[in-house]
Amino acid sequence: MDETPIDRPIFVIGTGRSGLTPLMDLIAYHESFAWPSQYNERWPKLHAVSALSRIVDIPSVRSHVKFRRGVPKHTEAYPLWGRCFPGFAEPFRDLVAEDVTPYAKRLFRQTVADIVRYQRKTRFIAEYSGWSRIAFLRTIFPDAKFIHIVRDGRAVAHSYTNVDWWNGWEGVYRWRLGIPDQGMLEKLERYEYSFLALAAVYWKILVTNISDKGRLLPSEDFLLVRYEDLVADPNKEARRCIEFAGIDKDRTRFEHHLRTVKIIDANLHGVRIPPWRESFGPKQIEMFNDLAGDELAEFNYT
């Protein structure tokens, strides 16, 4: 039996295009946290590269330098997790407890323990997008905690339709979310399978999955953060996340870090693409409300 001690790992999750990066920029650099970097992603078999991430703890690097190209930075690191469970990155459904084998559990726990050890930290944090994978990871890490960052679905859908890697371009019979029910298929047909309509359903499926699985956890193990609240008051939301993790110490150093993070509200300012409100007309808004209005209302997006 694996007795590797791993204390309450934190997983930051979202639908994708929801604000994972800015949230992680704020909280992952707390002195307690170890995290997988682009170097773990590039060399997933070589866990010792995690030691490179200690560079960001050097006083002269703690400022804006830590965000420069080449400096170790948190990442979703799917190649790393793919070595533990090949289907982790792009399963056609959510991963559940029954998917965990003793072998996969051993690999996940050893990988996380190695990253924590090489970075000389006490806690672990990681990000990923898409399906919740909550039941899967709780089976491996029984005391894992999850932070769900949610963003206005209209902004997320707009972002999906402005990137080439979104697999919604392939349609409902080839994307990795499974085929929607007949009622939703009829709605999509009514909208002639508009890609924006497909993006709305894509967001709806994933955000519902994460919310439903999160509700099954004790309240102290699942935290909801709205992207809009994050960009309105980054420091407040970052502190809330750190308190949720149970590591609110050395506030002076963490507060200094927060002052080095620049957060841009992509809902209001163009960041590679224009804000969704500049791209949607009344017909697009009406269509989105028809397809995913309940989910918008659930998160107070009116």
Side-chain angles (χ1 to χ4, degrees), residues 22 24-31 35 37-39 52-74 253-262:
M24 285 290 287
D25 282 350
L26 285 164
I27 66 177
Y29 293 94
H30 189 283
E31 67 162 355
W35 31 262
S37 75
Q38 70 269 40
Y39 296 104
L52 294 173
S53 297
R54 284 162 29 201
I55 292 172
V56 301
D57 291 324
I58 299 173
S60 60
V61 181
R62 287 180 196 158
S63 61
H64 301 280
V65 177
K66 63 180 171 286
F67 295 120
R68 290 183 181 174
R69 185 173 182 179
V71 177
K73 181 177 171 63
H74 58 84
R253 179 172 169 180
F254 185 63
E255 293 289 335
H256 172 74
H257 158 70
L258 293 179
R259 290 194 292 271
T260 70
V261 184
K262 182 179 181 181

Side-chain angles (χ1 to χ4, degrees), residues 36-50 52 68-83 115:
S37 75
Q38 70 269 40
Y39 296 104
N40 295 107
E41 190 171 62
R42 187 175 303 174
W43 295 293
K45 296 181 181 180
L46 190 60
H47 294 174
V49 299
S50 300
L52 294 173
R68 290 183 181 174
R69 185 173 182 179
V71 177
K73 181 177 171 63
H74 58 84
T75 177
E76 295 187 48
Y78 287 120
L80 178 72
W81 305 127
R83 289 199 68 249
I115 292 174

Side-chain angles (χ1 to χ4, degrees), residues 2 6 11 47 80-86 88 95 100-114 124 136-137 140-141:
D2 184 3
I6 300 169
F11 295 99
H47 294 174
L80 178 72
W81 305 127
R83 289 199 68 249
C84 302
F85 188 80
F88 188 85
L95 298 182
V100 179
T101 64
Y103 178 64
K105 180 176 182 178
R106 196 159 56 245
L107 288 178
F108 269 97
R109 291 188 64 85
Q110 189 59 59
T111 296
V112 169
D114 283 350
F124 177 81
F136 180 87
L137 287 169
I140 299 170
F141 307 103

Side-chain angles (χ1 to χ4, degrees), residues 78 88-91 94-95 128-137:
Y78 287 120
F88 188 85
E90 294 187 343
D94 194 14
L95 298 182
Y128 60 84
S129 57
W131 296 114
S132 83
R133 303 173 179 86
I134 287 175
F136 180 87
L137 287 169

Side-chain angles (χ1 to χ4, degrees), residues 11 66-67 69 107 127 184 186 189 196 227 300-301:
F11 295 99
K66 63 180 171 286
F67 295 120
R69 185 173 182 179
L107 288 178
E127 66 199 279
M184 186 57 70
E186 290 174 0
E189 186 172 354
L196 187 59
Y227 172 83
N300 296 319
Y301 295 122

Side-chain angles (χ1 to χ4, degrees), residues 167 170-177 179:
N167 62 14
E170 301 180 42
V172 297
Y173 297 102
R174 297 190 64 184
W175 70 15
R176 60 181 178 85
L177 303 186
I179 301 172

